[in-house]
Amino acid sequence: MIDLYEGILTTRAIRRYTDEPVTVEEIRKCLRAAQQAPSGGNSQPWQYLVITDPDVKRKVAEIYRRSYRRWETAQLASLPEFRTDADREAFMRSLRSSRYLAEHLDEAAALVAFLVPDVDLAPSDADGRVDIGPIYASVYPAVQNFCLAARALGIGTVLTTVYWSEMDQLRRVLDVPERYVIAALVPMGRPRGAFGVAPRRPAETVTHWNRFGNREP
Amino acid sequence: MIDLYEGILTTRAIRRYTDEPVTVEEIRKCLRAAQQAPSGGNSQPWQYLVITDPDVKRKVAEIYRRSYRRWETAQLASLPEFRTDADREAFMRSLRSSRYLAEHLDEAAALVAFLVPDVDLAPSDADGRVDIGPIYASVYPAVQNFCLAARALGIGTVLTTVYWSEMDQLRRVLDVPERYVIAALVPMGRPRGAFGVAPRRPAETVTHWNRFGNREP
């Protein structure tokens, strides 16, 4: 049993897995938790596609690797300004970990895709605008619930979107109709390495009180 | 102490609050949990604006009420098909609860706005496309962490986006620069009523295995 607050703090991206299995019952337990996430008007617009078949995993991994290379190139071409060498090292460590995942994606026990209706097909308002944010507000909380529930079961996960540039190909190998967007792909497996509090800037440095720019409560 | 898995299942939208206070330290504890959420390349692009000042709350509540009326009108004009009377009643109950919130928003102990850089200003790819999903993938998990952490402290929350149609006005009363989108507004307070498992369709009815349409693992 893990405490709720403690569990949230210590859920971090896990990208290296042992070859121990994850059971269908465990995956279903995580999906039940995802299902309890909120959505606009309780519309529950998302669906799940769970990939455990080695052949399908390999095909997805191939697409993922291709899009990862593109993503890494873009990341390295526009590096943020690092304030310290430690910051740079932390960034490069995270990049190496992401690269490792891209090269070993099919070794994850399962890959879970989260599908939502394509925003381009969403109803627009009187001015022709589509409210895109609210649609994604009705899927990413479910993804986070899924990752936290996995943590409760001792299973590691990571929220990925780097396949986005190859969305069409990914839909195709999974038979996903074009009317859906794959909003996230979550690999899961027993962690090599440990759960723990991931490096983040302190919340106070990005918190405003009562009006933007006011740093004191 | 609440178990992580149990806490996820029993976190539901809470829209009616007592007039008991929520302390700055409690809010900060929830923000620390939000801060641990994942983001693309650990970019941590979101910021928080916490509203506790009664005058600012009232101004926000006024904008919220206006956008809520617009949202409710749209909801009632395009009702989903209800399979049972119980489904219809559940929907109407949820609507009444949302209306209550819109009419009493300034009674929440605090309102927490989550800001992210405006997607229209995000870098586009070679084809001129902006990958919008990934940007929202780096804020809504933080919102969910926030709501779950509040649950751990016995504090009720609800993820709202109905103000979206009045985004400009909302930014203005909060001094938020135009380069930010307010991705979510989360009222919080001590719950009247209880936490519990909210009604959802069973996860199995929206789960596919290995390819879209395959319902068996």
Side-chain angles (χ1 to χ4, degrees):
Chain A
M1 174 160 157
I2 303 156
D3 172 61
L4 172 56
Y5 188 76
E6 192 64 20
I8 299 168
L9 289 191
T10 56
T11 298
R12 58 178 298 162
I14 302 280
R15 301 185 182 89
R16 295 165 206 259
Y17 312 105
T18 71
D19 51 12
E20 288 166 277
V22 169
T23 67
V24 166
E25 194 37 58
E26 285 172 320
I27 297 171
R28 284 192 163 136
K29 208 171 163 190
C30 297
L31 296 176
R32 267 203 299 282
Q35 199 66 4
Q36 291 308 125
S39 56
N42 198 22
S43 53
Q44 309 167 56
W46 63 85
Q47 302 200 34
Y48 316 99
L49 203 168
V50 184
I51 304 152
T52 53
D53 182 282
D55 282 342
V56 184
K57 271 198 279 184
R58 260 193 301 276
K59 282 179 196 161
V60 171
E62 199 178 302
I63 293 168
Y64 189 93
R65 201 154 40 238
R66 204 157 58 221
S67 55
Y68 174 78
R69 284 198 201 107
R70 186 189 293 224
W71 181 85
E72 189 187 277
T73 303
Q75 286 283 107
L76 292 173
S78 63
L79 284 180
E81 302 243 343
F82 298 108
R83 274 178 303 180
T84 65
D85 284 351
D87 282 359
R88 170 180 299 270
E89 184 40 42
F91 180 88
M92 294 310 293
R93 203 164 41 238
S94 165
L95 198 75
R96 281 194 298 274
S97 174
S98 296
R99 189 187 300 159
Y100 180 92
L101 177 69
E103 286 165 359
H104 298 84
L105 192 73
D106 56 335
E107 294 172 19
L111 310 172
V112 181
F114 289 72
L115 316 178
V116 278
D118 190 341
V119 291
D120 290 339
L121 307 172
S124 55
D125 71 8
D127 304 322
R129 290 176 314 189
V130 176
D131 285 347
I132 288 168
I135 294 173
Y136 287 115
S138 296
V139 61
Y140 290 118
V143 178
Q144 185 64 4
N145 267 8
F146 183 90
C147 295
L148 292 165
R151 162 82 182 88
L153 303 179
I155 297 168
T157 60
V158 54
L159 193 174
T160 76
T161 58
V162 296
Y163 59 82
W164 210 278
S165 60
E166 311 271 331
M167 183 77 76
D168 287 339
Q169 288 86 329
L170 187 54
R171 266 192 293 244
R172 212 166 300 140
V173 301
L174 299 172
D175 280 353
V176 171
E178 278 193 22
R179 66 180 183 277
Y180 294 99
V181 164
I182 301 168
L185 184 72
V186 178
M188 66 195 299
R190 304 282 161 197
R192 282 201 271 144
F195 293 106
V197 179
R200 299 285 188 271
R201 63 177 72 101
E204 303 85 68
T205 63
V206 290
T207 304
H208 311 255
W209 296 83
N210 293 307
R211 57 174 188 72
F212 192 90
N214 181 30
R215 297 309 197 154
E216 295 301 323
Chain B
M1 176 163 155
I2 303 155
D3 172 61
L4 172 56
Y5 187 77
E6 192 63 21
I8 298 168
L9 288 191
T10 56
T11 299
R12 59 178 298 164
I14 302 280
R15 301 185 182 89
R16 296 166 206 258
Y17 312 106
T18 70
D19 50 12
E20 289 166 277
V22 169
T23 68
V24 166
E25 194 37 60
E26 285 172 321
I27 297 171
R28 283 192 164 133
K29 207 170 165 191
C30 297
L31 296 176
R32 268 204 299 284
Q35 199 67 3
Q36 291 308 125
S39 57
N42 198 22
S43 54
Q44 309 166 55
W46 63 85
Q47 302 199 34
Y48 316 100
L49 203 168
V50 184
I51 304 151
T52 52
D53 182 281
D55 281 342
V56 183
K57 271 198 281 184
R58 259 193 302 275
K59 281 178 195 161
V60 171
E62 198 179 303
I63 292 167
Y64 189 93
R65 201 154 38 235
R66 203 157 59 221
S67 54
Y68 175 77
R69 284 197 201 108
R70 187 189 292 223
W71 181 85
E72 189 188 275
T73 303
Q75 287 283 109
L76 291 173
S78 63
L79 284 180
E81 301 244 342
F82 298 106
R83 272 179 303 181
T84 64
D85 284 351
D87 282 358
R88 169 180 299 268
E89 183 41 40
F91 180 89
M92 294 310 293
R93 203 164 40 237
S94 165
L95 198 75
R96 280 193 300 273
S97 173
S98 296
R99 188 187 301 160
Y100 180 92
L101 177 69
E103 286 165 0
H104 298 84
L105 192 73
D106 56 335
E107 294 172 19
L111 310 173
V112 181
F114 288 73
L115 316 178
V116 277
D118 190 340
V119 292
D120 290 339
L121 306 172
S124 55
D125 71 8
D127 304 322
R129 288 177 313 189
V130 177
D131 285 348
I132 287 167
I135 295 174
Y136 287 114
S138 296
V139 61
Y140 290 118
V143 178
Q144 185 65 3
N145 268 8
F146 183 91
C147 295
L148 292 166
R151 162 84 182 87
L153 304 179
I155 296 167
T157 60
V158 54
L159 194 175
T160 75
T161 59
V162 295
Y163 59 82
W164 211 277
S165 60
E166 310 272 330
M167 184 76 76
D168 287 338
Q169 288 87 327
L170 187 54
R171 267 193 292 245
R172 214 166 299 141
V173 300
L174 299 172
D175 279 353
V176 171
E178 278 193 20
R179 65 180 182 278
Y180 294 99
V181 164
I182 301 168
L185 183 72
V186 178
M188 67 195 297
R190 305 282 162 197
R192 280 202 272 146
F195 292 107
V197 179
R200 297 285 188 270
R201 63 177 73 101
E204 304 85 68
T205 62
V206 289
T207 304
H208 311 255
W209 296 82
N210 294 306
R211 57 174 187 74
F212 191 90
N214 181 31
R215 296 309 197 154
E216 295 301 322

